[in-house]
Amino acid sequence: MCDVLPTTRPQWQKAINELPSSPAKIPAFFFAHGSPMLVWPKSIAPRGGSFAEMHKSAGPDEVLAQFLQDFGRALVEKYNPRAIVVFSAHWESPKQEILVSDYGEENPLLMDYYGFPQELYQIKFKSKGDSDVAQEVVAALKEAGMSARTTPVSESRGMDGRGFRGPGLDHGVFVPFTHMFGDETDIPVVQVALDGSLDPAKEWALGKAVESLRQVSSAFLLGRLEAQPFLFLPVL
């Protein structure tokens, strides 16, 4: 347990190293998912305006990127999760029905940001889904009295910045994951939408409903950003 909030790389590396390696249930983690700035190449970095200031403090070589790289490496080494179940603040279920991705052999990416350079729409992050894990999440939610179902790759979930509607992991997932796991991971990734009402009590209940999956080698990751939060939980 940290006595002070880690703010430097040596401090957070020490805190990460002190995490238990074989707990009965994996710890829950909450951190910033960042923004497209994290994957905005320095070679085409903005040179003026608010984007330039944001890039200086939140770009691909800055503190958040360094933390995500260290944390992702430790997550894999310490817990070797059979899957990652991730909640992002950028996906809210409609009609109070919780949606769970079931995208099969390759998770598409939903580039849900607009007005950025073309290079930011060519970002790659390759991962697969896991139907068994997706169904386990749905079953846990239904057992808790919630309406839930899987959503296939054929079902659109929102507008893409490239000009079409489609399915996929949103930037609240693939942007930080490119730093945590590189351009590709063998660990299946399943995304779960938040309750569309954004009622704090319902979001709390959503987390409680899937808590049992932490005992079956699934990692739950939840993340937020100061202005647009992201929630990250590993399922091991």
Side-chain angles (χ1 to χ4, degrees):
M1 178 71 72
C2 295
D3 296 324
V4 296
L5 181 67
T7 58
T8 66
R9 196 165 198 174
Q11 289 175 340
W12 75 59
Q13 286 178 333
K14 180 176 183 294
I16 290 172
N17 289 336
E18 291 175 351
L19 289 171
S21 296
S22 55
K25 292 191 296 186
I26 190 173
F29 301 102
F30 182 94
F31 57 88
H33 67 66
S35 72
M37 297 294 165
L38 274 176
V39 291
W40 194 323
K42 292 183 68 175
S43 59
I44 58 166
R47 301 188 182 281
S50 58
F51 273 179
E53 291 303 314
M54 291 176 64
H55 194 273
K56 288 179 182 178
S57 60
D61 297 324
E62 303 307 322
V63 172
L64 178 55
Q66 294 171 11
F67 168 77
L68 292 171
Q69 292 159 15
D70 291 341
F71 179 71
R73 187 180 307 112
L75 182 70
V76 174
E77 291 176 353
K78 282 180 174 287
Y79 304 118
N80 189 28
R82 72 178 179 108
I84 292 174
V85 177
V86 60
F87 295 76
S88 161
H90 291 281
W91 192 16
E92 300 165 11
S93 285
K95 302 177 182 178
Q96 298 184 344
E97 179 181 50
I98 306 301
L99 300 179
V100 181
S101 71
D102 187 1
Y103 292 150
E105 287 303 309
E106 184 164 355
N107 287 319
L109 304 182
L110 183 73
M111 298 190 173
D112 54 335
Y113 44 85
Y114 311 92
F116 288 86
Q118 185 62 34
E119 287 84 351
L120 269 69
Y121 298 97
Q122 298 171 353
I123 301 301
K124 305 295 183 184
F125 176 70
K126 187 175 182 180
S127 67
K128 60 186 176 182
D130 189 306
S131 292
D132 290 341
V133 171
Q135 291 294 345
E136 288 172 15
V137 173
V138 168
L141 294 173
K142 287 184 174 180
E143 186 174 348
M146 301 179 187
S147 177
R149 66 174 176 85
T150 58
T151 177
V153 72
S154 59
E155 181 178 6
S156 169
R157 55 153 285 195
M159 192 67 191
D160 190 288
R162 292 167 288 184
F164 55 84
R165 297 185 64 83
L169 307 178
D170 60 59
H171 81 272
V173 178
F174 70 80
V175 164
F177 279 19
T178 58
H179 284 280
M180 294 176 68
F181 308 115
D183 293 337
E184 182 175 354
T185 181
D186 292 330
I187 304 171
V189 178
V190 172
Q191 184 173 359
V192 184
L194 298 178
D195 186 289
S197 70
L198 300 184
D199 182 327
K202 291 182 178 180
E203 306 299 3
W204 182 268
L206 176 59
K208 292 290 290 183
V210 297
E211 182 182 16
S212 62
L213 298 181
R214 293 168 56 198
Q215 297 176 318
V216 290
S217 297
S218 294
F220 287 88
L221 305 179
L222 305 97
R224 293 173 73 90
L225 188 60
E226 288 182 26
Q228 46 168 355
F230 168 135
L231 184 62
F232 183 84
L233 277 183
V235 179
L236 298 180

